[in-house]
Amino acid sequence: RWNWNRRTGAEGLPRGIVQTSSDMFLRPLWDPAANRAIPKNKNDRHKALLAMAVGISQMQNVDVMARKFLNESYTVMLFHYDGNVDGWRSLEWSDKAIHIVAPNQTKWWFAKRFLHPSVVAIYDFIFLWDEDLGVENFDPRRYIDIMVSEGLEITQPALDPDLSTDIHHRITIRNKMTKVHRRVYDNRSSMNCSDDSKGPPCTGWVEGMAPVFSRAAWKCVWHLIQE
């Protein structure tokens, strides 16, 4: 909500013309009706943005990931680190995604420059993912529902040990007995994870490959990115 007492540089503007937020919905210049048509989200309560740094070699996998989110009317933004955008035109949803190009940059570099909290404030959740994740059994809408019901701010989908061969941290392994787990227990001296544990590798750990941030969390995390 706009606070007229805050000094933002817009103090001299008439109240009626101040637009305090933006979004990533595409509005073609040649279709005036499209400027007014904002996509209807199947899950009206929440808006989500999937942002990934991608290369053409991972197009097939990214195709699967993007469809999952676009089918829920969520926004997809692709950061092209290899400079190849034209190679994605064959995908039917390509024109529905936002494409940003900067050769040889990481997803964190892109996020720092193009996902400022003020720009993405319309989104309730930011999925800042790697391009090579397997999402065959992932449902983004259900995942968001779980985050909301559990009051979670920074999360990642758990890894299925039967499908994932590259698991480095036990806390990221799926617990089939619960929807959510916040810590692991291990009595080995190398781990020593108990209810008294206050940090990684026992609790408070999310991998950088598949983090999901709430709007409030992203406002903080963006300032910590050093890229």
Side-chain angles (χ1 to χ4, degrees):
R1 179 174 295 180
W2 178 256
N3 183 346
W4 202 255
N5 294 321
R6 292 177 59 190
R7 300 191 62 82
T8 63
E11 294 81 12
L13 297 175
R15 298 191 184 205
I17 68 170
V18 172
Q19 181 67 38
T20 62
S21 64
S22 185
D23 57 57
M24 298 293 180
F25 299 131
L26 300 178
R27 295 173 172 82
L29 294 174
W30 57 87
D31 185 359
N35 292 333
R36 301 187 298 271
I38 296 177
K40 189 70 172 178
N41 195 321
K42 293 180 181 179
N43 186 7
D44 289 335
R45 295 175 300 165
H46 307 112
K47 294 182 176 66
L49 168 67
L50 170 65
M52 296 183 288
V54 302
I56 196 66
S57 64
Q58 289 287 345
M59 185 172 68
Q60 184 175 357
N61 194 65
V62 172
D63 181 30
V64 176
M65 298 170 70
R67 289 177 186 274
K68 291 265 187 178
F69 285 80
L70 291 170
N71 286 342
E72 297 294 340
S73 297
Y74 297 145
T75 302
V76 171
M77 178 183 289
L78 301 183
F79 303 131
H80 297 274
Y81 59 75
D82 61 356
N84 189 339
V85 178
D86 290 340
W88 297 78
R89 301 300 183 193
S90 60
L91 299 176
E92 62 178 354
W93 52 263
S94 180
D95 289 341
K96 299 177 182 178
I98 299 164
H99 301 266
I100 297 175
V101 183
N104 303 318
Q105 304 303 317
T106 70
K107 71 177 181 182
W108 299 106
W109 184 93
F110 284 106
K112 187 68 172 183
R113 288 151 183 82
F114 299 104
L115 298 182
H116 187 280
S118 295
V119 175
V120 297
I122 190 175
Y123 297 104
D124 301 289
F125 297 96
I126 308 293
F127 291 71
L128 190 57
W129 281 7
D130 286 0
E131 60 186 330
D132 57 351
L133 303 181
V135 295
E136 291 79 3
N137 300 313
F138 181 76
D139 183 331
R141 183 171 63 84
R142 184 168 182 268
Y143 188 86
I144 287 175
D145 287 343
I146 292 174
M147 283 192 68
V148 173
S149 66
E150 296 288 336
L152 301 173
E153 301 290 348
I154 303 177
T155 69
Q156 75 167 83
L159 304 178
D160 189 332
D162 296 329
L163 300 176
S164 302
T165 59
D166 195 22
I167 297 178
H168 300 287
H169 307 281
R170 184 180 168 189
I171 194 173
T172 64
I173 299 176
R174 178 189 177 195
N175 184 340
K176 296 182 179 180
M177 303 301 293
T178 63
K179 291 190 299 183
V180 172
H181 67 268
R182 295 173 171 83
R183 63 174 60 244
V184 292
Y185 298 91
D186 195 321
N187 293 326
R188 292 177 298 174
S189 58
S190 59
M191 293 279 287
N192 193 25
C193 293
S194 67
D195 285 326
D196 295 327
S197 302
K198 303 299 183 182
C202 308
T203 188
W205 173 261
V206 169
E207 289 183 300
M209 67 178 185
V212 184
F213 305 96
S214 69
R215 181 192 295 112
W218 184 245
K219 287 181 180 179
C220 175
V221 171
W222 183 88
H223 289 87
L224 299 177
I225 300 174
Q226 302 298 309
E227 289 284 352

